[in-house]
Amino acid sequence: MYQPTAATAAPEMAGIISTSHERSLAYGLCPESKQDFGTITRNDLALLIERNKMLHTHALPAMETLYQQIINTHNMVLLTDANGVILHTLGDADFLEKANRVALQPGAAWSEECRGTNAIGTAIAEKSAALVHADQHYMQANHFLTCSAAPITDHHGNVIGVLDVSGDQRSYHKHTMALVRMSALMIENQLFVAAFEDSITLHFHTRPEFIGTLMEGIASFTPGGRFLSANRNGLFQLGLSYAALQMHTFNSLFGLPVSALFDHYRTAAPGLLDLCMHNGVRVYGRAQLRLASSHFQHVLASPPDGEPAATPATAPSALHAANAARKLSGLRYLRTGDPQLELVIDKVTRVLGKDIPIMIMGETGTGKELLAQAIHNDSPRSQGPFIPVNCASIPETLIESELFGYEDGAFTGARKKGAVGRILQANGGTLFLDEIGDMPYSLQARLLRVLQERMVTPLGSSKSIPVNVEVICATNHNLRERIANGLFREDLYYRLNGLVVKLPPLRERTDLETVVKKIIAIESGSTRYSLAPQMLELFRRHKWPGNFRQLTNLLRTAIVMAGDEYEISQCHMPDDFMDDIAAASQQSCGQGGGQHGAAPAGHAPAGAARLEDVEHSLIQRTLAAHGGNVSATARALGVSRNTIYRKMPHLK
């Protein structure tokens, strides 16, 4: 049995390590044996990530933040599923090479059954944080590591994953575990809020400055006020077991009927709630009212606390799920070194919380909604909803009811009990009007009235409802031209353009390499993939008419085509993209001028010739390796057989 030494074992961990070594021995593992470093296939890993999509989505921003705090310390950050299989990693390049030797990489399993005592597996087995340092690892091959791991639990207290920081044992720092614990708690809180879409979610604490921090309690309730669940800090502050809380309502726990809660949020500028808990402790709170439309109408009718709420015919769960996924990043995540973007971020940072409308200009695909979401997340309204509306994608006949909502029987085909419009859904938060230049002229006056009076009147209703929203708009149109052409109201234009910022197109940005690395890491779930230098040069010369949308789709396809080849090169690119590159090179040559004049007829530019030579050489080598089999060559290169046949006459 393992006996920890004073040099390697923290007192609070000694018993856990010893018990873990006993389990490892019982699994039949030999400390000196060579480990099985097998990993699951890329397809299986993709399926595993899909099964853990919520965990993966909410963990990535926390992992990035954690990695920025330990960068250049010979460490890496890892996320695993409930069984210890690694889903995603971030780390210093020099340490990743060492980590790969013991399969600290996506697709590898690090449960105790597979690896013996290690922070990931032991955290899962103990259902608590685990620090395993140097020779505390059961397998001798892992003695060079120091690892700090914390389990991530769902709202029922079940372990669904592990967050871990692993590094060279010589780089051990006593504060690492605290960072890992805080990051895991951050992920848990994000997951908790996302788990209850059609609900009332209360963020509370005895000290108002702790609301919105990791110290806050969070509790969710049905639209009728019945208790659903609470996070760790919420259970601690409430002082009751999960089973006992199932008998409670919002009113019995916090001394406030649900109807009074909704009255509070009908006001133009609702402040913090002042609540008295069941045990007499006074707390402050901020509620998120994320309800389906029929629930919203039901609560406006002031139901008794705890009364079963009406079941909606359709709940906008897709909207809430998308909203939860968007609530992950702030403006600092957009800083990638481009000076034009830095200027945009600096400008919007200065007006956050100042009730100044923001207008975002830019071509399609430049990330206007991403910027709007980041502005919302960094604003004082971050706890409220972010409701995007694409004015160009909603049919003109429906956009009025989508924006303003409607009463029961407002028009033929309308849903019973009516529907809450997007403006009311954004109450207390941010309304993002994308492609505002395409809004029908007839609706622009109604929108202007809402912005000026802060009141919304649903279709078919004579009752106006107070609304408190921040408005961010975006467009790829020149609105002054549309005003001149009678397509956009001048008074609305001046109401919306408090601060106008323009996002640069991808072809004008200087941070392409950084952007490509981030997209590859997100799309592949790994830091092992990279773009070949010659491809990066081609990317820099491309015009990117579809901007980031085009780049993301291209890299997503290339990653799939690359498979187990971790350098993305020309052979992994779609044919149409390479055709566009070749056409652009020929066009550039044909239009050349200046002191040298145009290139001679029938001659391709030097860069295109070198690219073509590389392509032909690769095809020729692959054909030779497969005995001239065109089908096998096409599969190996990830292209169609027609492409190979088309290139064959030009091979040497």
Side-chain angles (χ1 to χ4, degrees):
M1 185 177 68
Y2 175 77
Q3 296 295 331
T5 65
T8 60
E12 66 273 16
M13 288 298 301
I16 292 176
I17 298 296
S18 180
T19 302
S20 175
H21 275 255
E22 291 177 0
R23 286 195 298 266
S24 302
L25 184 63
Y27 292 140
L29 299 174
C30 176
E32 297 84 9
S33 65
K34 186 177 181 180
Q35 298 184 62
D36 177 12
F37 291 156
T39 59
I40 61 177
T41 66
R42 177 175 174 74
N43 287 339
D44 287 342
L45 176 60
L47 290 173
L48 192 62
I49 291 174
E50 183 63 29
R51 284 200 295 269
N52 292 271
K53 187 173 183 178
M54 289 298 289
L55 170 65
H56 188 257
T57 300
H58 288 274
L60 290 188
M63 291 179 69
E64 185 172 335
T65 300
L66 177 57
Y67 177 56
Q68 290 302 319
Q69 294 173 298
I70 63 169
I71 195 169
N72 296 327
T73 59
H74 307 290
N75 280 281
M76 66 188 299
V77 183
L78 303 100
L79 174 72
T80 81
D81 71 352
N83 298 313
V85 179
I86 298 175
L87 302 176
H88 188 72
T89 64
L90 289 171
D92 297 337
D94 56 347
F95 181 71
L96 285 176
E97 184 178 347
K98 294 181 181 179
N100 288 340
R101 298 174 192 168
V102 290
L104 270 174
Q105 61 193 39
W110 277 78
S111 63
E112 281 190 343
E113 292 91 333
C114 297
R115 312 277 175 169
T117 303
N118 72 90
I120 294 170
T122 302
I124 293 173
E126 296 288 339
K127 296 185 178 180
S128 65
L131 166 62
V132 180
H133 179 69
D135 61 354
Q136 290 179 329
H137 288 88
Y138 187 77
M139 308 298 291
Q140 289 183 1
N142 299 329
H143 285 186
F144 75 98
L145 295 170
T146 183
C147 307
S148 303
I152 300 168
T153 60
D154 63 12
H155 58 278
H156 293 302
N158 301 316
V159 175
I160 59 172
V162 174
L163 185 67
D164 171 84
V165 168
S166 292
D168 190 301
Q169 57 103 351
R170 293 169 295 182
S171 66
Y172 166 75
H173 198 288
K174 61 182 179 180
H175 296 310
T176 303
M177 177 56 84
L179 292 174
V180 173
R181 286 176 184 267
M182 287 191 297
S183 299
L185 185 57
M186 184 187 307
I187 297 168
E188 286 184 2
N189 285 352
Q190 292 276 3
L191 287 168
F192 181 90
V193 173
F196 299 99
E197 296 173 352
D198 187 17
S199 67
I200 300 168
T201 300
L202 180 71
H203 302 252
F204 63 98
H205 200 279
T206 55
R207 295 172 59 178
E209 64 269 24
F210 284 169
I211 295 176
T213 72
L214 293 177
M215 303 302 294
E216 71 178 357
I218 309 176
S220 284
F221 301 83
T222 67
R226 181 171 56 82
F227 176 83
L228 290 171
S229 190
N231 71 341
R232 293 192 198 189
N233 286 334
L235 291 172
F236 175 78
Q237 291 188 60
L238 289 167
L240 294 172
S241 68
Y242 182 82
L245 286 167
Q246 297 299 311
M247 307 299 294
H248 280 272
T249 65
F250 188 91
N251 192 7
S252 66
L253 288 173
F254 293 100
L256 186 73
V258 165
S259 56
L261 177 69
F262 273 79
D263 286 340
H264 175 79
Y265 283 101
R266 283 193 188 101
T267 60
L272 289 178
L273 294 159
D274 189 353
L275 305 168
C276 184
M277 292 201 299
H278 65 97
N279 53 12
V281 176
R282 186 165 295 278
V283 296
Y284 297 90
R286 179 185 293 115
Q288 288 179 282
L289 313 177
R290 305 183 305 156
L291 307 179
S293 58
S294 57
H295 279 167
F296 189 84
Q297 296 290 345
H298 180 65
V299 177
L300 287 179
S302 301
D305 202 36
E307 177 183 326
T311 302
T314 57
S317 58
L319 171 63
H320 292 313
N323 208 22
R326 280 191 292 264
K327 283 193 168 191
L328 295 175
S329 60
L331 290 167
R332 64 194 181 92
Y333 290 107
L334 302 183
R335 295 184 184 273
T336 50
D338 180 75
Q340 295 181 81
L341 187 60
E342 290 289 333
L343 184 60
V344 169
I345 294 173
D346 288 341
K347 285 181 178 179
V348 299
T349 301
R350 294 184 185 186
V351 302
L352 288 178
K354 302 292 176 36
D355 197 27
I356 294 176
I358 297 173
M359 176 83 72
I360 305 172
M361 312 289 287
E363 296 178 7
T364 298
T366 50
K368 296 188 288 292
E369 183 172 346
L370 187 64
L371 175 60
Q373 177 72 62
I375 293 170
H376 168 77
N377 291 344
D378 282 358
S379 76
R381 296 172 175 267
S382 60
Q383 296 299 317
F386 175 82
I387 304 297
V389 180
N390 190 313
C391 301
S393 66
I394 302 175
E396 186 171 342
T397 54
L398 296 179
I399 190 170
E400 185 174 17
S401 59
E402 282 286 328
L403 275 176
F404 302 100
Y406 55 85
E407 290 285 306
D408 183 14
F411 53 87
T412 303
R415 279 191 311 206
K416 290 185 177 180
K417 300 184 180 179
V420 176
R422 300 291 182 86
I423 296 176
L424 274 178
Q425 288 177 6
N427 191 28
T430 302
L431 178 69
F432 174 53
L433 297 174
D434 197 6
E435 307 299 350
I436 184 67
D438 293 301
M439 174 176 280
Y441 193 87
S442 59
L443 290 188
Q444 294 174 24
R446 284 201 66 184
L447 176 61
L448 179 62
R449 194 178 310 118
V450 169
L451 298 179
Q452 290 176 339
E453 300 176 2
R454 302 284 177 164
M455 302 284 286
V456 173
T457 304
L459 295 178
S461 173
S462 59
K463 179 181 178 182
S464 295
I465 304 172
V467 65
N468 173 26
V469 297
E470 191 80 46
V471 177
I472 301 175
C473 295
T475 182
N476 60 1
H477 289 296
N478 184 325
L479 292 185
R480 290 185 182 276
E481 288 183 1
R482 293 183 76 79
I483 291 172
N485 295 328
L487 299 174
F488 201 83
R489 293 180 63 98
E490 188 172 17
D491 48 3
L492 178 60
Y493 172 76
Y494 287 113
R495 180 65 182 79
L496 293 174
N497 78 332
L499 172 68
V500 179
V501 294
K502 184 176 181 181
L503 285 176
L506 184 56
R507 62 182 173 276
E508 295 179 6
R509 290 180 54 158
T510 61
D511 56 351
L512 179 62
E513 183 173 4
T514 302
V515 168
V516 166
K517 287 181 179 179
K518 282 199 169 192
I519 293 175
I520 289 175
I522 292 171
E523 293 297 330
S524 67
S526 169
T527 56
R528 301 177 69 185
Y529 286 86
S530 63
L531 190 68
Q534 63 269 29
M535 286 309 305
L536 183 61
E537 288 305 312
L538 290 180
F539 277 24
R540 287 194 172 111
R541 296 202 297 268
H542 192 52
K543 297 300 182 183
W544 298 110
N547 289 292
F548 290 96
R549 192 173 293 117
Q550 180 188 4
L551 176 62
T552 301
N553 288 336
L554 179 73
L555 290 173
R556 182 183 298 130
T557 302
I559 289 166
V560 173
M561 300 303 297
D564 294 332
E565 299 176 42
Y566 294 109
E567 184 176 75
I568 298 171
S569 60
Q570 178 186 334
C571 64
H572 304 131
M573 292 292 144
D575 290 354
D576 59 344
F577 176 74
M578 295 310 301
D579 289 343
D580 289 345
I581 292 288
S585 297
Q586 292 171 4
Q587 184 179 14
S588 174
C589 176
Q591 294 176 351
Q595 64 181 13
H596 296 293
H603 287 76
R610 286 196 298 273
L611 177 62
E612 193 173 19
D613 289 343
V614 171
E615 181 182 76
H616 291 168
S617 176
L618 178 62
I619 293 173
Q620 195 164 2
R621 290 199 308 271
T622 310
L623 273 169
H626 290 85
N629 188 313
V630 173
S631 296
T633 299
R635 283 195 299 271
L637 294 177
V639 297
S640 68
R641 288 185 302 168
N642 288 339
T643 298
I644 303 297
Y645 284 124
R646 191 172 68 246
K647 303 288 186 181
M648 284 179 70
H650 304 287
L651 302 181
K652 296 179 181 179

